Amino acid sequence: MTTTQRSAHPTVGFVGLGDQGAPIAAAIADAGYPLQVWARRPASLKALTGVPFTAHATVAALAAASNIVALCLPEDSDNLEVATTGGLLAHMRRGSVLVNQGTGTPRAMQQLAELAAPYGIEVVDAPVSGGRAVALARQLTTIVGGQEAVVDRLRPVFNTFSKRVIHVGAIGSGQSGKLFNNTLMMMNHQNLIEILALAEELGLPLTPLLDVFCSGSATSFALEAFGPAITVENSAHLTGLELIDMDLFSTATEALGSARANVVRRAVAGANGLSGLAALIEDKR
């Protein structure tokens, strides 16, 4: 679908219409921002059915038409390819802003900012937390790294799909915030695995115990997500994503050496145990 309607809002380009990217892009368009889209696979545009947008045949054309360009791609290498070989940076306007909403390493964000600087383009990292269901509800937490003045320019856009926008520091710190957040969630999964195993050893009824955990002071998103966001059916897929995040966390914290070993061990165990935990909770609820 193409729209030529004028708007007082800046024009937003979007690349990456996946599970989180498509709901984010839809929220931006629904709020009145002229949405420009490029997709490697045209079938991806179906995710925006009913939303006003302009589709472009190339990344360069999208870049030239946008004041802000958001990337929500799987890997840092994808961002670099689109930004350089794809022609994004070469065709963005001076003074425009490039936003990375995917998850990666702080160093890759700094590299992207270094590549953008000669073109007069500001760069911000703004990964999101919450998953697809939360993205559809437009209640994501957006974790932002970059210059404060640039972040303030982007807040109205972030607010279209976020319940909170948290500026955590300089470029790259958004990625650090996201990786530490995800690591803690995986450690909380491991906590659940261990505490429920102890309860089973004592023969305690797990159904009311889970009710206690959900209602009492021990509750957490790691527990409450089972059912709405984490199911037996998607748990293996989520485990794969979590292990990718742990690889990123390990890379980002490499300078800490053995000091991070216990954190990494527990988080990886929590990720690997996710399917069994999902099955247990589903059976006992």
PDB file of all heavy atoms in Angstrom, residues 7 9 16 39 58 62 65 93 100-101 122 160 164 168 191 202 222 238 256 267-268:
ATOM      1  N   SER A   7       2.059  14.972   6.418  1.00  0.00           N
ATOM      2  CA  SER A   7       1.971  14.814   7.865  1.00  0.00           C
ATOM      3  C   SER A   7       2.923  15.785   8.530  1.00  0.00           C
ATOM      4  O   SER A   7       3.979  16.122   7.983  1.00  0.00           O
ATOM      5  CB  SER A   7       2.328  13.373   8.256  1.00  0.00           C
ATOM      6  OG  SER A   7       2.443  13.249   9.655  1.00  0.00           O
ATOM      7  N   HIS A   9       4.378  14.950  11.186  1.00  0.00           N
ATOM      8  CA  HIS A   9       5.380  14.064  11.795  1.00  0.00           C
ATOM      9  C   HIS A   9       6.548  13.819  10.836  1.00  0.00           C
ATOM     10  O   HIS A   9       6.377  13.839   9.612  1.00  0.00           O
ATOM     11  CB  HIS A   9       4.746  12.716  12.142  1.00  0.00           C
ATOM     12  CG  HIS A   9       3.712  12.790  13.223  1.00  0.00           C
ATOM     13  ND1 HIS A   9       3.959  13.323  14.460  1.00  0.00           N
ATOM     14  CD2 HIS A   9       2.426  12.353  13.252  1.00  0.00           C
ATOM     15  CE1 HIS A   9       2.866  13.222  15.205  1.00  0.00           C
ATOM     16  NE2 HIS A   9       1.925  12.652  14.488  1.00  0.00           N
ATOM     17  N   GLY A  16      12.901  -4.543   8.469  1.00  0.00           N
ATOM     18  CA  GLY A  16      12.876  -5.682   9.395  1.00  0.00           C
ATOM     19  C   GLY A  16      11.494  -5.932   9.949  1.00  0.00           C
ATOM     20  O   GLY A  16      11.212  -5.566  11.095  1.00  0.00           O
ATOM     21  N   ALA A  39      11.576  -4.308   2.148  1.00  0.00           N
ATOM     22  CA  ALA A  39      11.624  -5.690   2.619  1.00  0.00           C
ATOM     23  C   ALA A  39      12.364  -6.547   1.601  1.00  0.00           C
ATOM     24  O   ALA A  39      12.082  -6.459   0.394  1.00  0.00           O
ATOM     25  CB  ALA A  39      10.216  -6.240   2.842  1.00  0.00           C
ATOM     26  N   THR A  58      14.316  -0.368  -3.141  1.00  0.00           N
ATOM     27  CA  THR A  58      15.697  -0.457  -2.656  1.00  0.00           C
ATOM     28  C   THR A  58      15.834   0.235  -1.305  1.00  0.00           C
ATOM     29  O   THR A  58      15.043   1.111  -0.952  1.00  0.00           O
ATOM     30  CB  THR A  58      16.677   0.210  -3.644  1.00  0.00           C
ATOM     31  OG1 THR A  58      16.398   1.623  -3.700  1.00  0.00           O
ATOM     32  CG2 THR A  58      16.553  -0.397  -5.038  1.00  0.00           C
ATOM     33  N   LEU A  62      14.453   4.098   0.139  1.00  0.00           N
ATOM     34  CA  LEU A  62      13.862   4.284   1.466  1.00  0.00           C
ATOM     35  C   LEU A  62      14.643   5.331   2.248  1.00  0.00           C
ATOM     36  O   LEU A  62      14.067   6.218   2.882  1.00  0.00           O
ATOM     37  CB  LEU A  62      13.828   2.960   2.223  1.00  0.00           C
ATOM     38  CG  LEU A  62      13.370   3.008   3.689  1.00  0.00           C
ATOM     39  CD1 LEU A  62      12.555   1.773   4.048  1.00  0.00           C
ATOM     40  CD2 LEU A  62      14.554   3.125   4.655  1.00  0.00           C
ATOM     41  N   ALA A  65      14.014   8.932   1.358  1.00  0.00           N
ATOM     42  CA  ALA A  65      12.670   9.425   1.656  1.00  0.00           C
ATOM     43  C   ALA A  65      12.402   9.599   3.149  1.00  0.00           C
ATOM     44  O   ALA A  65      11.310  10.024   3.531  1.00  0.00           O
ATOM     45  CB  ALA A  65      11.634   8.449   1.076  1.00  0.00           C
ATOM     46  N   ARG A  93      19.720  11.447   4.594  1.00  0.00           N
ATOM     47  CA  ARG A  93      19.954  12.889   4.634  1.00  0.00           C
ATOM     48  C   ARG A  93      20.851  13.250   5.817  1.00  0.00           C
ATOM     49  O   ARG A  93      20.748  12.646   6.891  1.00  0.00           O
ATOM     50  CB  ARG A  93      18.624  13.626   4.774  1.00  0.00           C
ATOM     51  CG  ARG A  93      17.584  13.239   3.737  1.00  0.00           C
ATOM     52  CD  ARG A  93      16.216  13.754   4.138  1.00  0.00           C
ATOM     53  NE  ARG A  93      15.161  13.264   3.252  1.00  0.00           N
ATOM     54  CZ  ARG A  93      13.868  13.427   3.469  1.00  0.00           C
ATOM     55  NH1 ARG A  93      13.452  14.081   4.555  1.00  0.00           N
ATOM     56  NH2 ARG A  93      12.983  12.941   2.625  1.00  0.00           N
ATOM     57  N   ASN A 100      18.824   1.414  15.690  1.00  0.00           N
ATOM     58  CA  ASN A 100      18.866  -0.050  15.688  1.00  0.00           C
ATOM     59  C   ASN A 100      17.961  -0.564  16.797  1.00  0.00           C
ATOM     60  O   ASN A 100      18.246  -0.387  17.977  1.00  0.00           O
ATOM     61  CB  ASN A 100      20.289  -0.552  15.904  1.00  0.00           C
ATOM     62  CG  ASN A 100      20.343  -2.073  15.985  1.00  0.00           C
ATOM     63  OD1 ASN A 100      19.427  -2.765  15.540  1.00  0.00           O
ATOM     64  ND2 ASN A 100      21.413  -2.594  16.547  1.00  0.00           N
ATOM     65  N   GLN A 101      16.858  -1.225  16.415  1.00  0.00           N
ATOM     66  CA  GLN A 101      15.928  -1.761  17.391  1.00  0.00           C
ATOM     67  C   GLN A 101      16.109  -3.257  17.614  1.00  0.00           C
ATOM     68  O   GLN A 101      15.414  -3.863  18.422  1.00  0.00           O
ATOM     69  CB  GLN A 101      14.488  -1.462  16.967  1.00  0.00           C
ATOM     70  CG  GLN A 101      14.293   0.020  16.756  1.00  0.00           C
ATOM     71  CD  GLN A 101      13.000   0.555  17.291  1.00  0.00           C
ATOM     72  OE1 GLN A 101      12.138   0.910  16.526  1.00  0.00           O
ATOM     73  NE2 GLN A 101      12.862   0.636  18.606  1.00  0.00           N
ATOM     74  N   GLU A 122      23.088  10.760  12.837  1.00  0.00           N
ATOM     75  CA  GLU A 122      23.100  10.357  14.243  1.00  0.00           C
ATOM     76  C   GLU A 122      22.661   8.892  14.350  1.00  0.00           C
ATOM     77  O   GLU A 122      21.828   8.422  13.568  1.00  0.00           O
ATOM     78  CB  GLU A 122      22.141  11.223  15.056  1.00  0.00           C
ATOM     79  CG  GLU A 122      22.435  12.712  15.005  1.00  0.00           C
ATOM     80  CD  GLU A 122      23.637  13.102  15.839  1.00  0.00           C
ATOM     81  OE1 GLU A 122      24.201  12.224  16.525  1.00  0.00           O
ATOM     82  OE2 GLU A 122      23.995  14.294  15.818  1.00  0.00           O
ATOM     83  N   THR A 160       4.970   5.399  20.678  1.00  0.00           N
ATOM     84  CA  THR A 160       3.852   4.791  19.947  1.00  0.00           C
ATOM     85  C   THR A 160       3.740   3.296  20.192  1.00  0.00           C
ATOM     86  O   THR A 160       2.661   2.719  20.018  1.00  0.00           O
ATOM     87  CB  THR A 160       3.969   5.036  18.426  1.00  0.00           C
ATOM     88  OG1 THR A 160       5.120   4.350  17.904  1.00  0.00           O
ATOM     89  CG2 THR A 160       4.079   6.523  18.119  1.00  0.00           C
ATOM     90  N   ARG A 164       7.303   2.105  28.373  1.00  0.00           N
ATOM     91  CA  ARG A 164       8.373   2.909  28.964  1.00  0.00           C
ATOM     92  C   ARG A 164       9.511   3.043  27.970  1.00  0.00           C
ATOM     93  O   ARG A 164       9.844   2.088  27.249  1.00  0.00           O
ATOM     94  CB  ARG A 164       8.912   2.284  30.251  1.00  0.00           C
ATOM     95  CG  ARG A 164       8.029   2.458  31.458  1.00  0.00           C
ATOM     96  CD  ARG A 164       8.833   2.286  32.752  1.00  0.00           C
ATOM     97  NE  ARG A 164       9.782   3.379  32.964  1.00  0.00           N
ATOM     98  CZ  ARG A 164      10.697   3.386  33.933  1.00  0.00           C
ATOM     99  NH1 ARG A 164      10.779   2.356  34.775  1.00  0.00           N
ATOM    100  NH2 ARG A 164      11.522   4.400  34.083  1.00  0.00           N
ATOM    101  N   VAL A 168      19.497   4.776  28.884  1.00  0.00           N
ATOM    102  CA  VAL A 168      20.447   4.212  29.848  1.00  0.00           C
ATOM    103  C   VAL A 168      21.858   4.766  29.715  1.00  0.00           C
ATOM    104  O   VAL A 168      22.698   4.511  30.590  1.00  0.00           O
ATOM    105  CB  VAL A 168      20.474   2.670  29.773  1.00  0.00           C
ATOM    106  CG1 VAL A 168      19.194   2.084  30.305  1.00  0.00           C
ATOM    107  CG2 VAL A 168      20.713   2.178  28.353  1.00  0.00           C
ATOM    108  N   ASN A 191      16.199 -20.351  38.360  1.00  0.00           N
ATOM    109  CA  ASN A 191      15.710 -20.330  39.742  1.00  0.00           C
ATOM    110  C   ASN A 191      14.402 -21.116  39.863  1.00  0.00           C
ATOM    111  O   ASN A 191      14.209 -21.882  40.810  1.00  0.00           O
ATOM    112  CB  ASN A 191      15.474 -18.888  40.204  1.00  0.00           C
ATOM    113  CG  ASN A 191      16.757 -18.113  40.397  1.00  0.00           C
ATOM    114  OD1 ASN A 191      17.827 -18.699  40.565  1.00  0.00           O
ATOM    115  ND2 ASN A 191      16.661 -16.803  40.354  1.00  0.00           N
ATOM    116  N   LEU A 202       9.857 -32.876  47.869  1.00  0.00           N
ATOM    117  CA  LEU A 202       9.111 -32.923  49.133  1.00  0.00           C
ATOM    118  C   LEU A 202       7.666 -33.349  48.945  1.00  0.00           C
ATOM    119  O   LEU A 202       6.922 -33.483  49.926  1.00  0.00           O
ATOM    120  CB  LEU A 202       9.142 -31.538  49.798  1.00  0.00           C
ATOM    121  CG  LEU A 202      10.486 -31.102  50.395  1.00  0.00           C
ATOM    122  CD1 LEU A 202      10.387 -29.667  50.889  1.00  0.00           C
ATOM    123  CD2 LEU A 202      10.899 -32.034  51.535  1.00  0.00           C
ATOM    124  N   ALA A 222       9.517 -13.555  34.399  1.00  0.00           N
ATOM    125  CA  ALA A 222       9.985 -14.873  33.973  1.00  0.00           C
ATOM    126  C   ALA A 222       8.950 -15.949  34.261  1.00  0.00           C
ATOM    127  O   ALA A 222       8.833 -16.922  33.516  1.00  0.00           O
ATOM    128  CB  ALA A 222      11.299 -15.207  34.676  1.00  0.00           C
ATOM    129  N   LEU A 238      12.186 -20.310  21.432  1.00  0.00           N
ATOM    130  CA  LEU A 238      12.654 -19.278  22.360  1.00  0.00           C
ATOM    131  C   LEU A 238      14.001 -19.650  22.963  1.00  0.00           C
ATOM    132  O   LEU A 238      14.849 -18.787  23.191  1.00  0.00           O
ATOM    133  CB  LEU A 238      11.619 -19.054  23.465  1.00  0.00           C
ATOM    134  CG  LEU A 238      10.295 -18.441  23.008  1.00  0.00           C
ATOM    135  CD1 LEU A 238       9.306 -18.380  24.171  1.00  0.00           C
ATOM    136  CD2 LEU A 238      10.502 -17.057  22.418  1.00  0.00           C
ATOM    137  N   LEU A 256      35.404  -9.163  31.363  1.00  0.00           N
ATOM    138  CA  LEU A 256      35.232  -9.573  32.759  1.00  0.00           C
ATOM    139  C   LEU A 256      35.833 -10.944  33.048  1.00  0.00           C
ATOM    140  O   LEU A 256      35.993 -11.318  34.217  1.00  0.00           O
ATOM    141  CB  LEU A 256      33.742  -9.594  33.121  1.00  0.00           C
ATOM    142  CG  LEU A 256      33.022  -8.255  33.050  1.00  0.00           C
ATOM    143  CD1 LEU A 256      31.538  -8.440  33.337  1.00  0.00           C
ATOM    144  CD2 LEU A 256      33.638  -7.257  34.027  1.00  0.00           C
ATOM    145  N   ALA A 267      22.405 -18.699  33.428  1.00  0.00           N
ATOM    146  CA  ALA A 267      21.523 -18.219  32.367  1.00  0.00           C
ATOM    147  C   ALA A 267      21.396 -19.246  31.244  1.00  0.00           C
ATOM    148  O   ALA A 267      20.294 -19.505  30.741  1.00  0.00           O
ATOM    149  CB  ALA A 267      22.039 -16.895  31.817  1.00  0.00           C
ATOM    150  N   VAL A 268      22.504 -19.860  30.860  1.00  0.00           N
ATOM    151  CA  VAL A 268      22.463 -20.890  29.811  1.00  0.00           C
ATOM    152  C   VAL A 268      21.653 -22.095  30.289  1.00  0.00           C
ATOM    153  O   VAL A 268      20.856 -22.660  29.522  1.00  0.00           O
ATOM    154  CB  VAL A 268      23.893 -21.311  29.413  1.00  0.00           C
ATOM    155  CG1 VAL A 268      23.867 -22.558  28.540  1.00  0.00           C
ATOM    156  CG2 VAL A 268      24.589 -20.165  28.675  1.00  0.00           C
TER     157      VAL A 268
END
